[in-house]
Amino acid sequence: MASVPNVCGGGWAETKAAYRLLDNARLDFREVLRAHSVPTLERIRQQSRVLCLQDTTELDYSGRPSMAGLGRLNYEQRQGLYLHPTLVISEAGVALGVTDCWHWARLPKGEPDLAESLRWVEGYERVAEMAALAPETRLVYVADREGDLRALIDRAEQLGFAADYLIRVQHDRKLNDPLDGKLRAAVEAQPVLGTIAFDLPAGGNRPARQVTQTIRLARLELKTRSGPGPQVTVILAREEAPPEGQEAVEWCLITNEEITTLEQARARIEWYRKRWWIEVYFRILKSGCRIEALQLRTRERLERALVLYLIVAWRILMLMTLGREHPEWCCEVVFSVEEWQTAWAIHHRTPPPATPPDLGTIVRIVAGFGGWLGRKNDPPPGPKALWQGMTKLSAYVEAVTAIRAAEIKFPQRKRIRH
């Protein structure tokens, strides 16, 4: 991934055409995303349940005084935008597409601004609308602590739970009981239902290790000013004995669904753990697509570029997740004929086979272009190797296509003997 001029390697004419596209007022970035949502919806309909992950990231464009329409980030000197997409994945963790995206700029301090919490509530509403288009699929809205909003919980109830929600608890809410009890104390008072174990990958200064958590469940009624409140299930997953020097892994989750068994709780914990894929998605956008390095003068240009990069980043994540979950599939479910044949020929230095190879083979070849070594104990290819590999593959395909079009034949060089 590179700047617009670098991507348009054909010269000034191609670069100028790209800028004209980004300047085209008739190109509504929302329509571009809706066009991507059509095949995404078809992929959703093939699943019995999907997870709709939402989160917010900041895009820092500080030091770009020529870029109009930016707003303050955490303080006035830092300028940029906030991005809040909905990434849809399968229960197995395969990225299916991006169906919605908020992006906004904060106004200067002291000026009236929209409540940013609206993006979570509206995000749920868009998921509920999508659920009506895929009636055979159950959609689950998954969010971290910032999404723990009473307005969202109430809105989900008003919409008849068209989509389920699973949110990490931030607020210790009051309950509708005579003692005005609190949510946290109520779930902690429950007996341990059982334990679950999983492998926690390394992160930062934390080594990879196995985690064992106890599970407690409580079906509770949240407090209202009058009348019955919304019923929620609270899942408390707690690591009781972490290794010395390591912080205990603990999650308190809230859902509208009535959960009663350990297996049901285990499934929801696994869904929440897959929320990490949206963090990987943001990493692809920033480090792979390098969207914070874009040198565009207007917010309108930036909005159109961002929606294109949202789709590009999804494809990288889809390659990684689909290659892990279904390596046996035919590679042509993802790669064009030109792409996989070029990758094969460059990697093997032989003509491509008549029958397309499996997806896992081509994913590993492309990741090899990006520096993945593929040694016996190496983990599966990650996003960095794949985005760098896809960048090189794109250049290889362009070169092969040009050679074929020009019917260029390179002379055989005689071997020099010493």
Side-chain angles (χ1 to χ4, degrees):
M1 316 296 174
S3 65
V4 172
N6 284 338
V7 170
C8 301
W12 170 239
E14 287 79 2
T15 302
K16 192 174 181 180
Y19 281 121
R20 282 178 177 170
L21 175 68
L22 298 178
D23 271 333
N24 188 347
R26 292 181 295 177
L27 179 63
D28 188 337
F29 71 90
R30 300 173 189 85
E31 292 300 324
V32 176
L33 192 56
R34 274 193 281 269
H36 168 69
S37 296
V38 173
T40 299
L41 182 59
E42 290 305 311
R43 290 186 284 270
I44 290 172
R45 287 171 174 161
Q46 296 170 17
Q47 308 290 323
S48 60
R49 181 183 277 107
V50 297
L51 310 179
C52 303
L53 314 180
Q54 291 200 5
D55 205 354
T56 304
T57 189
E58 63 178 29
L59 304 180
D60 189 350
Y61 296 105
S62 302
R64 318 277 175 82
S66 61
M67 188 182 291
L70 301 179
R72 62 183 174 86
L73 297 177
N74 56 342
Y75 54 89
E76 292 290 345
Q77 286 73 24
R78 295 184 67 236
Q79 295 285 299
L81 300 175
Y82 286 93
L83 190 70
H84 185 91
T86 301
L87 174 68
V88 183
I89 66 172
S90 70
E91 275 192 275
V94 175
L96 303 177
V98 182
T99 59
D100 184 34
C101 185
W102 261 53
H103 57 265
W104 73 97
R106 286 176 175 169
L107 296 177
K109 279 187 176 181
E111 294 189 22
D113 210 342
L114 286 174
E116 293 180 4
S117 59
L118 284 175
R119 68 189 184 273
W120 297 97
V121 181
E122 287 198 6
Y124 177 85
E125 291 174 344
R126 300 293 83 77
V127 170
E129 291 169 1
M130 188 165 53
L133 302 176
E136 302 301 317
T137 305
R138 193 62 186 167
L139 278 65
V140 184
Y141 174 100
V142 182
D144 211 2
R145 284 174 285 201
E146 197 176 355
D148 181 18
L149 301 168
R150 182 59 186 268
L152 191 155
I153 295 170
D154 291 341
R155 185 59 176 150
E157 187 174 43
Q158 291 166 8
L159 295 175
F161 304 113
D164 297 320
Y165 60 77
L166 181 68
I167 302 170
R168 188 172 178 184
V169 171
Q170 179 177 11
H171 305 292
D172 193 10
R173 302 185 184 280
K174 287 186 177 181
L175 303 179
N176 226 3
D177 63 34
L179 300 177
D180 279 345
K182 291 289 193 76
L183 180 149
R184 184 82 185 201
V187 69
E188 288 181 341
Q190 301 302 311
V192 173
L193 187 64
T195 62
I196 63 172
F198 55 86
D199 293 326
L200 185 70
N205 296 323
R206 182 194 67 210
R209 61 184 174 90
Q210 188 178 68
V211 171
T212 300
Q213 293 178 316
T214 57
I215 301 297
R216 290 176 171 85
L217 296 176
R219 186 71 175 170
L220 305 171
E221 182 180 319
L222 300 183
K223 188 174 181 61
T224 55
R225 291 177 180 173
S226 62
Q231 296 276 338
V232 298
T233 298
V234 183
I235 306 170
L236 179 61
R238 173 187 287 162
E239 185 181 24
E240 304 288 354
E244 186 177 353
Q246 295 292 315
E247 184 178 354
V249 178
E250 179 178 313
W251 299 313
C252 188
L253 308 176
I254 189 171
T255 177
N256 61 289
E257 295 186 276
E258 188 166 357
I259 306 301
T260 58
T261 69
L262 180 62
E263 284 307 309
Q264 291 173 331
R266 187 196 309 274
R268 274 69 189 173
I269 296 296
E270 288 301 312
W271 297 351
Y272 178 75
R273 289 182 61 214
K274 289 183 173 62
R275 195 204 68 84
W276 177 249
W277 284 126
I278 199 166
E279 304 291 349
V280 177
Y281 181 68
F282 288 152
R283 181 184 167 202
I284 295 170
L285 277 170
K286 293 183 178 184
S287 299
C289 298
R290 301 185 66 235
I291 57 175
E292 291 178 307
L294 291 172
Q295 300 282 346
L296 300 172
R297 293 184 179 178
T298 67
R299 181 172 170 180
E300 290 73 23
R301 273 186 178 182
L302 184 60
E303 287 173 341
R304 296 180 188 113
L306 284 177
V307 74
L308 297 176
Y309 280 115
L310 285 172
I311 299 169
V312 171
W314 159 76
R315 191 187 182 206
I316 299 298
L317 186 60
M318 181 266 294
L319 276 177
M320 183 179 74
T321 54
L322 194 61
R324 293 182 182 186
E325 293 298 324
H326 299 288
E328 75 284 359
W329 285 9
C330 174
C331 68
E332 288 188 355
V333 300
V334 174
F335 294 96
S336 68
V337 174
E338 293 80 9
E339 285 176 331
W340 76 257
Q341 287 187 346
T342 299
W344 180 280
I346 289 177
H347 178 74
H348 290 286
R349 298 293 193 268
T350 61
T355 303
D358 61 61
L359 178 61
T361 296
I362 300 302
V363 167
R364 288 191 294 272
I365 289 174
V366 172
F369 296 157
W372 183 70
L373 298 177
R375 296 166 296 190
K376 184 177 180 180
N377 295 322
D378 282 348
K384 184 175 181 179
L386 281 172
W387 80 56
Q388 291 180 344
M390 285 299 294
T391 301
K392 288 186 178 180
L393 179 59
S394 177
Y396 295 155
V397 170
E398 186 175 354
V400 169
T401 302
I403 290 169
R404 287 174 177 169
E407 296 183 348
I408 299 173
K409 293 183 179 180
F410 294 98
Q412 295 291 329
R413 295 180 61 187
K414 290 184 178 181
R415 195 171 184 179
I416 300 175
R417 297 181 182 274
H418 295 282

